[in-house]
Amino acid sequence: MSERLQSGDVAPAFTLSDADGTEVSLADHKGRKVIVYFYPAALTPGCTKQACDFTDNLELLTGAGYDVIGISPDQPEKLAKFRDKESLKVTLLADPDKQVLESYAAFGEKKNYGKTYMGVIRSTIVVDEEGKVERALYNVRATGHVAKIIKDLGI
């Protein structure tokens, strides 16, 4: 597992397919701030709540200069179903081989009900206009997280 990112680190570059199979790169967003959030699985209750919260606040975030990208290990087809079912407006990217998840330290050992297993660590990384990590938040909660980010960023 990669070391957790810290403020000031260069955000790992990535290019992944979105829900329509179009390639999207972090470099495409240079000059804008980007909120990259990692979530375990599309079409699950917590991940749906989080994606809907980001969609509900997308105008506010983009108006403040932030683009929002959600990344999960799901295939693009599942992301398309998730986007369409929930009317999501955020960019959803597929990382089925988990390389980007691992490079951002958003995949690793988790504990649940006394069991230890490997999985997606719900995380949010705010990347500045220059591609550096502004803040890195790990083990975040699905509910209330977007409101906390907005408050912390002073939006």
Side-chain angles (χ1 to χ4, degrees):
M1 187 176 117
S2 299
E3 293 248 340
R4 289 192 167 179
L5 297 173
Q6 307 286 327
S7 291
D9 288 350
V10 174
F14 61 79
T15 301
L16 295 170
S17 294
D18 70 6
D20 300 315
T22 305
E23 288 198 340
V24 176
S25 298
L26 181 60
D28 298 341
H29 298 269
K30 194 152 175 68
R32 284 186 61 81
K33 294 183 178 201
V34 186
I35 296 170
V36 183
Y37 78 96
F38 298 92
Y39 63 99
L43 301 166
T44 58
C47 298
T48 298
K49 173 79 179 110
Q50 189 177 21
C52 288
D53 280 355
F54 271 118
T55 292
D56 292 347
N57 289 285
L58 194 59
E59 274 186 45
L60 178 69
L61 291 164
T62 54
Y66 292 88
D67 294 335
V68 179
I69 297 173
I71 299 177
S72 75
D74 297 306
Q75 294 292 338
E77 302 77 32
K78 187 173 179 188
L79 297 179
K81 200 179 290 182
F82 185 36
R83 176 195 62 202
D84 297 345
K85 180 176 189 267
E86 302 297 338
S87 303
L88 301 174
K89 302 276 184 266
V90 295
T91 300
L92 299 174
L93 301 181
D95 185 20
D97 63 10
K98 303 176 189 72
Q99 284 186 322
V100 176
L101 283 154
E102 288 179 1
S103 71
Y104 277 79
F107 187 83
E109 203 171 88
K110 295 174 68 164
K111 284 185 171 49
N112 198 12
Y113 301 112
K115 289 194 188 322
T116 302
Y117 61 98
M118 297 299 282
V120 175
I121 298 162
R122 194 180 300 276
S123 311
T124 301
I125 311 298
V126 180
V127 181
D128 71 14
E129 301 89 339
E130 302 300 314
K132 288 200 176 353
V133 174
E134 190 174 294
R135 57 185 75 206
L137 309 163
Y138 290 95
N139 296 310
V140 300
R141 298 208 162 277
T143 306
H145 178 59
V146 176
K148 183 179 179 342
I149 288 173
I150 290 169
K151 183 174 179 253
D152 289 352
L153 294 175
I155 300 171

